[in-house]
């Protein structure tokens, strides 16, 4: 939801040419996209587990079995 909100406010800031509206929301948009990318990469890992890179249909990372 943060990405959608920041996208709308960033677009509005560009439309009215307001740098004070544009900069914080563009920064929030970038951080929100980074958070989405991390969630996508580590979606199969449980809290406290380490992961190792693999190439399979489950994604680029999988939990290490102990």
């Amino acid at each position: 939801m943060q990405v959608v909100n920041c996208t709308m406010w960033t677009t509005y800031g560009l439309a009215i040419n307001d740098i004070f509206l544009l900069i914080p929301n563009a920064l929030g948009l970038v951080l929100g996209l980074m958070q989405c990318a991390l969630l996508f990469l580590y979606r199969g890992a449980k809290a406290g587990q380490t992961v190792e890179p693999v190439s399979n249909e489950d994604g680029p990372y999988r939990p290490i079995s102990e």
Side-chain angles (χ1 to χ4, degrees):
M1 198 61 166
Q2 172 191 356
V3 173
V4 174
N5 183 38
C6 286
T7 300
M8 300 303 283
W9 281 109
T10 300
T11 304
Y12 182 65
L14 283 170
I16 66 170
N17 200 22
D18 185 355
I19 196 163
F20 296 107
L21 189 62
L22 177 64
I23 289 175
N25 287 294
L27 181 62
L29 177 60
V30 169
L31 292 173
L33 289 172
M34 288 173 56
Q35 183 178 12
C36 287
L38 288 172
L39 285 171
F40 178 75
L41 284 174
Y42 295 102
R43 69 185 180 274
K46 302 283 188 267
Q49 283 185 324
T50 56
V51 294
E52 66 181 11
V54 295
S55 295
N56 63 17
E57 65 278 349
D58 294 334
Y61 295 92
R62 67 173 172 84
I64 297 174
S65 301
E66 292 182 17

